Amino acid sequence: MTTRDPRWTDEDRDWMLALAVYRSWLCPKCGGLLEECTSHADTGPTFQVSKIRCRRTDALITEQEANTLPNPEALLWAWAAQARM
């Protein structure tokens, strides 16, 4: 008879349980704590929103929109960073 060590130790399982509990406290929309970002619309806090642009994604979308090759769904896109000079 062969005896094997379990893939997950008791400590591993405890950590995964703790992670699951922590994630259950997070808002699925913004990733913030549910108790901070959800409340009644009239009595809750207000938030200031700011935005920045992911230039990598912007470049990808620009290239995809300019694509004229046949079967565009078959194309694989890759990132190529260029150094600034």
Side-chain angles (χ1 to χ4, degrees):
M1 181 162 130
T2 303
T3 303
R4 293 189 171 97
D5 290 330
R7 289 182 138 177
W8 294 69
T9 65
D10 288 341
E11 185 178 0
D12 292 334
R13 285 188 289 277
D14 290 343
W15 278 109
M16 288 298 102
L17 178 60
L19 179 61
V21 169
Y22 171 74
R23 286 180 175 167
S24 73
W25 298 339
L26 300 179
C27 174
K29 288 286 193 184
C30 73
L33 290 174
L34 275 173
E35 65 184 36
E36 292 177 356
C37 67
T38 57
S39 61
H40 189 274
D42 295 331
T43 60
T46 58
F47 295 92
Q48 198 71 24
V49 176
S50 64
K51 57 187 161 194
I52 58 175
R53 179 177 296 272
C54 175
R55 295 184 315 133
R56 176 183 281 179
T57 302
D58 197 34
L60 176 64
I61 292 168
T62 300
E63 287 295 318
Q64 288 173 336
E65 288 175 347
N67 173 52
T68 58
L69 295 171
N71 303 318
E73 57 279 351
L75 294 174
L76 300 177
W77 298 86
W79 306 110
Q82 297 176 350
R84 287 186 173 194
M85 298 207 182

